[in-house]
Amino acid sequence: MADYTRKNLKEIEDQAQKFGLSPNLEFRVPGDELDAENSAISYLRVAPNFRLPFGHTHKEQEEVYVLLSGSARLKLDDEVLELAPWDVVRIPKETVRNVEGGPEGAELLLIGAPKTGPGDADVQPEWWTD
């Protein structure tokens, strides 16, 4: 029998609720449920025109963001990118980043490697200001 793990991302606990960011944000991180050894994946849904209230970097993990639907603005350090469906962006660990949903909101997959766990992120409150 093949060795694999199958999960439905929408059945994974929504972490946004724990931090008071629902209903503007949905964030599902399968983590240990997926049994991945070297990589990580997350699902992120951002409400229309909602901006995450912080930026973050990683100590070790490089990330790839894939916009599945809607539109989004992705701030990387001091640069803002306009994303359309199926845009893919690789983000080095030391780049400060976060996302804002477009007029119809946004759904993204976030892929990271190596798998590091929650202690890898350094959060910068109130980083994205106009």
Side-chain angles (χ1 to χ4, degrees):
M1 181 175 218
D3 181 20
Y4 64 91
T5 306
R6 178 181 174 175
K7 298 291 176 185
N8 184 305
L9 280 171
K10 293 297 245 174
E11 294 174 359
I12 302 298
E13 182 181 10
D14 181 5
Q15 299 297 311
Q17 293 178 357
K18 291 181 178 180
F19 299 100
L21 295 171
S22 290
N24 290 315
L25 191 70
E26 180 181 349
F27 187 54
R28 299 179 187 273
V29 184
D32 294 334
E33 295 109 326
L34 198 56
D35 299 323
E37 295 179 15
N38 301 306
S39 60
I41 189 166
S42 304
Y43 169 80
L44 180 65
R45 182 197 50 79
V46 184
N49 304 310
F50 180 74
R51 177 183 295 166
L52 278 87
F54 57 86
H56 74 282
T57 60
H58 287 278
K59 294 176 184 82
E60 294 183 45
Q61 190 176 72
E62 174 182 78
E63 289 185 304
V64 174
Y65 283 26
V66 182
L67 182 65
L68 301 176
S69 66
S71 63
R73 295 176 56 202
L74 176 63
K75 185 172 181 186
L76 304 172
D77 288 335
D78 293 326
E79 186 173 348
V80 177
L81 304 177
E82 300 285 338
L83 300 183
W86 301 109
D87 281 349
V88 178
V89 181
R90 179 198 57 84
I91 307 168
K93 63 185 181 182
E94 62 277 354
T95 299
V96 184
R97 86 279 323 247
N98 232 327
V99 67
E100 176 181 69
E104 62 281 336
E107 285 187 296
L108 300 101
L109 281 181
L110 315 179
I111 303 156
K115 179 182 175 185
T116 56
D120 187 58
D122 289 320
V123 175
Q124 297 183 18
E126 301 177 30
W127 163 75
W128 190 344
T129 59
D130 288 330

